[in-house]
Amino acid sequence: MDSINKAVDPTDISEVEQQLNIFKQVYATSATGSADFIQATQQDNELTYSNVPFRLFLLIAYNLDHEITVHDTAKLIVAGARHEDLSTVLPLDPETKVAIRFQEARVKSGLTEKEIAAKSVELDEYKLIKAEYARIPLSISTWAELFKIIGTKITIDLF
Amino acid sequence: MRQFDLSTSNILCYNLGMQIKYDQIQIEKFLNKYWPNDLFTLDWNNVLSNSKDPQLFAAFDGDKLIGIVAYNEGIDKTYANLINMEVINSYWCNDVREALLARVIQKSSDICSETYIQVNVKNGDSQFYEDNGGVLFGNRVIFFPSVSQEVIKKYLSR
């Protein structure tokens, strides 16, 4: 199926969504070990994670109030390709938005969770990882401590 | 509610007590020595030739090939991608699939600083991975690091 390997403009929502639907159709109809299936998985991963970092994609998908759809994924890919703020693309709770900002800033800083946890008064590494996936709520002062450790200021729109 | 898996329910587990060995194996050696193989349903030559830089673990009962798993590095080395796994049905009850999964997870810690595993699954084919702690997002099953560690603890010594 040639269309699996078609070049897609990642800033064009209709092209991206159409391509993701092609992958979805392949997953539904092709055998697991077939060339089509394998190529679709590779192209799907490339299109998605080249524009939305793997861990940010997980964080967002994990915290949506519904199963992530093709349309949701397409919106994230387009926003990522346009270097837009991924925390504002889909409806997410404030904790998740802060966690996205934190994860982006932490990756930019080059600091690992372990290094940050070592400097934090309030969190160990295990709790920090959970917080970074918005799996535990943190107080504003704890978030402030974490952002201070990585040397980033943020403004948060809660609504 | 979980679906009852009919495909495994009537398998007689006659392999208890067998010494099963697991080895990382070069693709060329695998194809030359063990392929084609009528005991497997997937065309592994096709799987490997269509995958980008695949690596393999194989399971053996004596000299007999009983299971294969292929994986590669994900984008930016942030995760490992499990391409495909197949174990002869009669060995499912020996946790061979789980042991192969654990080996991929352990090996992936050499690739990524944190052990995330992704499996792209066909619709409805995620049960085994979900039963072992994977989280399904559309057609992707993800093993988060904490779950990955549990799989290693439980099955790596098998």
Side-chain angles (χ1 to χ4, degrees), chain A residues 24 26-35 37-39 41-42 44-46 48-50 54-55 57-58 61-62 67-68 73 113 126 129 133, chain B residues 42-43 46-48 50-52 72 75-76 78-79 81 83-84 114 116-118 120-123 125 135-140 142 144-146:
Chain A
K24 193 175 176 182
V26 172
Y27 296 146
T29 57
S30 298
T32 305
S34 67
F37 188 92
I38 293 166
Q39 284 170 21
T41 63
Q42 287 176 167
D44 189 359
N45 293 338
E46 180 79 31
T48 305
Y49 301 139
S50 296
F54 174 76
R55 289 183 56 170
F57 179 83
L58 293 189
Y62 208 26
E67 188 175 338
I68 192 161
T73 307
E113 285 138 335
Y126 178 73
I129 290 169
Y133 276 101
Chain B
L42 290 183
D43 180 348
N46 185 50
V47 170
L48 297 170
N50 278 289
S51 302
K52 193 179 170 188
N72 57 12
I75 311 272
D76 295 334
T78 45
Y79 64 98
N81 194 52
I83 300 163
N84 227 316
E114 290 158 332
Y116 289 87
I117 304 291
Q118 171 174 288
N120 288 83
V121 290
K122 189 171 163 55
N123 300 8
D125 274 2
V135 181
L136 182 67
F137 300 109
N139 287 88
R140 296 176 164 94
I142 305 291
F144 285 83
S146 55

Side-chain angles (χ1 to χ4, degrees), chain A residues 34-132:
Chain A
S34 67
D36 278 353
F37 188 92
I38 293 166
Q39 284 170 21
T41 63
Q42 287 176 167
Q43 295 298 328
D44 189 359
N45 293 338
E46 180 79 31
L47 177 61
T48 305
Y49 301 139
S50 296
N51 295 292
V52 186
F54 174 76
R55 289 183 56 170
L56 271 185
F57 179 83
L58 293 189
L59 167 57
I60 294 168
Y62 208 26
N63 289 287
L64 283 173
D65 62 2
H66 58 274
E67 188 175 338
I68 192 161
T69 64
V70 164
H71 186 61
D72 293 334
T73 307
K75 285 170 79 175
L76 286 171
I77 289 169
V78 170
R82 292 176 177 167
H83 305 291
E84 293 170 359
D85 181 357
L86 292 173
S87 71
T88 61
V89 176
L90 300 174
L92 295 166
D93 59 50
E95 278 291 338
T96 306
K97 287 182 180 181
V98 180
I100 291 170
R101 296 283 192 84
F102 178 73
Q103 197 181 109
E104 286 178 315
R106 183 184 66 74
V107 171
K108 266 187 198 167
S109 76
L111 290 169
T112 64
E113 285 138 335
K114 195 173 190 172
E115 288 166 334
I116 293 169
K119 293 179 182 177
S120 170
V121 179
E122 303 194 36
L123 295 181
D124 58 23
E125 187 186 358
Y126 178 73
K127 280 186 181 166
L128 181 60
I129 290 169
K130 285 212 149 195
E132 204 174 276

Side-chain angles (χ1 to χ4, degrees), chain B residues 20-21 29 33 58 71-72 87 92 96 119-120 137 140:
Chain B
I20 294 167
K21 286 183 185 168
K29 183 182 174 189
K33 192 170 178 185
Y71 65 99
N72 57 12
V87 171
W92 285 14
V96 174
V119 193
N120 288 83
F137 300 109
R140 296 176 164 94

